[in-house]
Amino acid sequence: AQTVTQSQPEMSVQEAETVTLSCTYDTSESDYYLFWYKQPPSRQMILVIRQEAYKQQNATENRFSVNFQKAAKSFSLKISDSQLGDAAMYFCAYRSPLGQGAQKLVFGQGTRLTINP
Amino acid sequence: DVKVTQSSRYLVKRTGEKVFLECVQDMDHENMFWYRQDPGLGLRLIYFSYDVKMKEKGDIPEGYSVSREKKERFSLILESASTNQTSMYLCASSLFGTGRNEKLFFGSGTQLSVL
C-alpha cells in the first residue's frame, strides 16, 4: 500500500518570503499522480497543484511550484512571495492511475503554515 | 462550479447513538468518498463508492457503514457512536475516468463530537 509522509507538522514564514513544504511517499508503481491541497480555516479543501509522475517537468501554478524527485520519492511544495491568504493546512496526496482504487487519494499528515506579517 | 454539500457543519451526539452524516453533490459524479480528518494523522479514507449501490472499504471502515441509493447522495452511518469517532468528516466526489484530468471536490466537513 502507498504511504505519504509530511514530516513538518508546522511551518512559519514571513510575508513576501519563500517557504518549502516537504513530502515523501512510498510506492512500487511507476506511474501515479501527486497533489498538494490547501485547507484554510473555512475547511474547504482546495487543489493547489498536481504532478503526473511520467512528466519530468515540475508543475507550476503562479506562486506555487513543486520539486518532484521521482527517484527519491520526494514531492515538495514551494510557495514564493508568501501572502497572508496562504495561511492554511497543506496536505500532500497520492493517487494510483488505474483500477477502482485509482479513484481514491492517500493523504499525508498535513503541515500547518503560518504567515507572519 | 461543483458543489458538495454536507448536511451539518457541527454535530454533537451521545455514545451509542446511531449517527447519519449526509453528503450531496450536484454534478452527476460517479465517485464519492468519505474521509476522516484527525490532527497528526491527516485524512484517512473510510469508504468510497463508484456507482449507485456500490461501495468499497477504505483504510479504516471499522465502526462505519455507508449507503448510496441515489447517485447524488452518499451517507455515512455510525451504527453505535463511540468517543473515538469524534473527528472531522469530509465528503468528496469526482468523475470516473482514467485519472489524468480528474479533480476531487470536497465538502466543508462535519465536525462530529461524541460525548
Side-chain angles (χ1 to χ4, degrees), chain A residues 1 7 18 23 27 30 49 84-85 109:
Chain A
S7 58
T18 295
C23 173
T27 183
S30 59
I49 201 164
L84 294 178
Q109 299 87 341

Side-chain angles (χ1 to χ4, degrees), chain A residues 1-15:
Chain A
Q2 294 82 17
T3 58
V4 177
T5 301
Q6 293 177 250
S7 58
Q8 305 157 314
E10 296 181 349
M11 292 280 286
S12 63
V13 65
Q14 291 295 126
E15 195 176 0

Side-chain angles (χ1 to χ4, degrees), chain A residues 31 33 35 37 39 41-45 47 50 52 54 91 95 97 100-101 103-110, chain B residues 9-10 31 33 35 37 40 42-43 45 48 50 88 90 96-102 104 106-109:
Chain A
D31 193 19
Y33 306 92
F35 305 83
Y37 277 86
Q39 186 183 45
S42 67
R43 305 191 323 210
Q44 185 71 53
M45 295 279 276
L47 177 64
R50 172 188 10 227
E52 299 177 43
Y54 74 93
F91 291 98
R95 191 175 75 206
Q100 292 297 350
Q103 313 304 327
K104 62 180 184 177
L105 292 180
V106 177
F107 286 88
Q109 299 87 341
Chain B
R9 191 163 174 85
Y10 297 97
N31 304 314
F33 308 82
Y35 284 90
Q37 181 178 352
L43 281 72
L45 183 65
F48 66 103
Y50 50 88
M88 172 79 75
L90 287 167
F96 184 85
T98 58
R100 299 218 181 272
N101 291 311
E102 278 178 50
L104 208 61
F106 283 87
S108 296

